[in-house]
Amino acid sequence: MTGQGDPSSGTSLIAGRFRLGELLGSGGTASVFAAVDSVTGRRLAVKVLHPHLSESAAVRDAFLAEARRAAQVVHPAVVVIVDIGVFDDHGIPIAWIAQERVPGRPLFEHVRAEGPLTSTEVVTVGADVLAGLAAAHAAGVVHRDVSPSNVLVRREDDGALRATLLDFGLADAAGRTAHGDDVLRSAVSGVPAGVVGNVQYASPEQLAGRPVGPRGDLYQVGGLLFFALTGRPPFDGGDRLAVTRAHLSAPPPVPSVGRRGIPPALDRVVVRALLKEPDDRFADAREMRGALLDARVQAMRTPPTAQPRPATTTVAATLPPTLARPAAARSAAAQPAVPAPPSPVRRSTGWGTVVAITVVLVAAATAVPLMASAGREVPVARSATQAPHPTPSAVASDPAPPVASPTTPPPVTVPGLTTLADAPSVLASAGLRVGDVAVRDEAAVAGTVLESIPGAGSSVPRDSAVALVVASGSNVIPEVSGMDAATATSRLRAAGFATMLVALVSERPEGLVVALEPAAGSSLTLGTEVRVLVATAPVPTHAPSSPSPTSSPTPTPTPTPTPSSR
């Protein structure tokens, strides 16, 4: 593959622009290479359709349609498409897609190398994926191939695991089926079309050839979360037909059955997402994301003894050591006499209800011996101090002392909090104390209290611990590709960043943002400058002109694809 390089220089550029590097991955349709954009110097990933497939115009069009669908979705958790096109390789038109190169590795590889994620990591990864899907669904795009191979995870400086959704190769408008002749669904052979998808994570409606909507993606996220929690897909085995049957008719698997210690609230989210009927799942990606975040909050409120899980996998263990209270101290302060029942379910149907009932029954069965022994304590103690057959006179002369009813201190109200530095004294004055502290990126000064759990105004018992979420002093760069420069600049400044506009020769409409440096989704300290690459029209090449001392040093691009190839 030679591309359109300059033979005299000995270099080889794809589309006269991208210098390929190492192979990042290869599949049934395309290979993905690390690349450098010779125009901007930006490091990218270039996906090149295999030559034997690219010879077909229908397959090329289907391949490029993937990029056009992905380009409609603007979100930090979705990979950014920089450009697409076709170049000539010795008479063979080769389609390519240039996209943002996101650091990290596929979730599948991460779990195989390091084992299942902690519950907190699963919530963070799932929340990122669902936020990206919410943006896709809002644009009318259903992904239909959400799997551990298509989610890239990376470890941030603060230790958090973040995720980016890749590969919209099977994406389409909501309500379409997943039929096709090949993995690109290009329908070029004329033979009866089959169902296309990843059998281990495909939804029942996708495998049955029925229309697939946004809730089909939610089913796949349920499978993704199950894999992240347990290290295996929800339905496994070497027989593809058996896996398909399980997706169509088997009860949803419960993650904690295969791995002890997973919070019941997280079990319920996964099981509800994996229900067979789309209407029984979450209404949309936003609702499922909210349920995931609620599950994390419930896990933070659960006493340590209620979750038989190593300390390294609890929410508190993932917090900064200087902010989190010692687990032993928390255990001593919060240990109840009787295990608390699980948190109530917000809404559950089908198998989700079965799981909720099972959790309650298990909790009740565990509590019975403790409650029974507690009920026997009083008669045993009294029988040791009473005569076997007390006489009326004895009873009259030695009446039992009146039992004083215990007085419960009145509840207190959680005050409003502004900064982490002031929180201990403000809470102490209200009869409360600081609990676990988590850090979150947001456009707020470091240490600003963003949220308290329970929230301000809540009525709680005196001496309760109040968990805090505080600003990190950094924020995530928002995705602004495709916006005009003024709107993008306003959005970036609102997120807490300085901006610098940079003109970039591109085939995209002039004046629109092509990309950002650093890339969208990166976490940076507030006030950091972000370079905004804005499309400008290519310099005409048909009429030679003498160079001017004031001319731009921007390289003259090579011929670009015609509109019909896009």
Side-chain angles (χ1 to χ4, degrees):
M1 183 179 299
T2 59
Q4 293 177 342
D6 180 1
S8 63
S9 65
T11 62
S12 178
L13 301 178
I14 294 296
R17 177 176 174 182
F18 304 107
R19 183 174 291 105
L20 298 189
E22 63 178 310
L23 177 68
L24 300 178
S26 185
T29 60
S31 297
V32 181
F33 297 89
V36 175
D37 187 340
S38 63
V39 175
T40 65
R42 187 180 182 189
R43 297 184 179 276
L44 302 169
V46 175
K47 187 173 184 179
V48 182
L49 186 62
H50 293 325
H52 68 281
L53 296 175
S54 198
E55 289 183 285
S56 165
V59 176
R60 285 198 309 274
D61 289 345
F63 177 75
L64 295 177
E66 168 193 340
R68 296 190 186 98
R69 286 187 291 263
Q72 298 175 42
V73 185
V74 179
H75 193 274
V78 177
V79 68
V80 177
I81 301 299
V82 175
D83 211 344
I84 66 174
V86 178
F87 71 93
D88 183 87
D89 181 28
H90 295 99
I92 299 176
I94 303 293
W96 55 269
I97 301 170
Q99 59 191 28
E100 172 190 16
R101 185 175 178 185
V102 182
R105 57 181 169 176
L107 177 63
F108 179 85
E109 293 182 10
H110 181 90
V111 171
R112 286 292 178 260
E114 301 187 21
L117 308 186
T118 66
S119 295
T120 303
E121 290 172 336
V122 168
V123 169
T124 304
V125 168
D128 282 349
V129 171
L130 286 165
L133 285 174
H137 297 164
V141 177
V142 179
H143 191 285
R144 304 202 293 189
D145 197 15
V146 182
S147 71
S149 297
N150 285 336
V151 171
L152 208 64
V153 295
R154 64 190 181 279
R155 186 77 64 183
E156 299 286 4
D157 292 340
D158 61 0
L161 200 65
R162 305 306 298 266
T164 303
L165 184 60
L166 308 174
D167 205 344
F168 279 68
L170 294 183
D172 208 338
R176 300 278 186 86
T177 70
H179 284 104
D181 297 0
D182 52 39
V183 291
L184 289 171
R185 300 189 305 114
S186 53
V188 296
S189 67
V191 300
V195 173
V196 180
N198 183 335
V199 68
Q200 290 186 318
Y201 296 94
S203 64
E205 57 269 32
Q206 184 171 343
L207 292 171
R210 302 198 305 267
V212 180
R215 291 182 180 181
D217 282 350
L218 304 189
Y219 183 93
Q220 294 189 315
V221 175
L224 178 86
L225 298 179
F226 187 94
F227 173 83
L229 287 165
T230 67
R232 58 187 180 84
F235 301 108
D236 205 359
D239 186 347
R240 293 170 59 86
L241 185 58
V243 172
T244 299
R245 284 198 297 264
H247 277 295
L248 293 173
S249 59
V254 182
S256 62
V257 172
R259 181 185 176 192
R260 295 186 58 208
I262 294 172
L266 199 50
D267 268 344
R268 289 193 286 271
V269 171
V270 174
V271 169
R272 183 174 171 189
L274 289 172
L275 293 174
K276 305 304 179 189
E277 291 299 324
D279 289 345
D280 291 337
R281 302 171 201 152
F282 295 95
D284 53 34
R286 293 184 184 278
E287 184 187 6
M288 184 174 176
R289 186 174 186 272
L292 259 186
L293 297 177
D294 287 348
R296 176 169 61 186
V297 172
Q298 291 180 38
M300 292 175 66
R301 292 173 175 168
T302 304
T305 52
Q307 294 186 42
R309 189 170 192 161
T312 55
T313 62
T314 63
V315 171
T318 65
L319 299 176
T322 57
L323 301 179
R325 296 174 61 224
R330 288 197 306 276
S331 177
Q335 178 89 8
V338 179
S343 303
V345 185
R346 200 166 45 175
R347 183 174 77 86
S348 183
T349 57
W351 282 97
T353 304
V354 175
V355 173
I357 294 172
T358 303
V359 171
V360 173
L361 292 177
V362 170
T366 305
V368 166
L370 297 176
M371 295 171 68
S373 63
R376 288 194 296 269
E377 256 181 43
V378 174
V380 170
R382 291 177 62 190
S383 65
T385 58
Q386 292 178 347
H389 303 286
T391 62
S393 59
V395 173
S397 62
D398 189 20
V403 178
S405 58
T407 58
T408 302
V412 297
T413 301
V414 177
L417 302 169
T418 55
T419 66
L420 180 61
D422 295 338
S425 59
V426 174
L427 287 173
S429 65
L432 301 169
R433 53 192 169 83
V434 175
D436 295 329
V437 178
V439 179
R440 186 169 75 203
D441 287 348
E442 200 152 311
V445 177
T448 301
V449 176
L450 304 175
E451 179 185 358
S452 67
I453 304 169
S458 301
S459 181
V460 297
R462 181 174 293 275
D463 197 38
S464 295
V466 177
L468 304 178
V469 179
V470 302
S472 65
S474 298
N475 201 8
V476 176
I477 299 177
E479 179 56 75
V480 296
S481 295
M483 299 180 184
D484 62 84
T487 303
T489 299
S490 176
R491 185 77 60 88
L492 289 166
R493 289 176 179 170
F497 303 110
T499 58
M500 182 175 72
L501 299 181
V502 179
L504 172 69
V505 175
S506 173
E507 294 180 359
R508 291 197 174 187
E510 189 169 6
L512 298 187
V513 175
V514 175
L516 299 176
E517 294 180 350
S522 303
S523 179
L524 297 179
T525 304
L526 298 179
T528 302
E529 184 178 83
V530 176
R531 289 161 52 91
V532 183
L533 307 184
V534 182
T536 185
V539 177
T541 58
H542 58 276
S545 61
S546 58
S548 168
T550 59
S551 62
S552 170
T554 304
T556 300
T558 55
T560 53
T562 62
S564 61
S565 66
R566 299 291 300 270

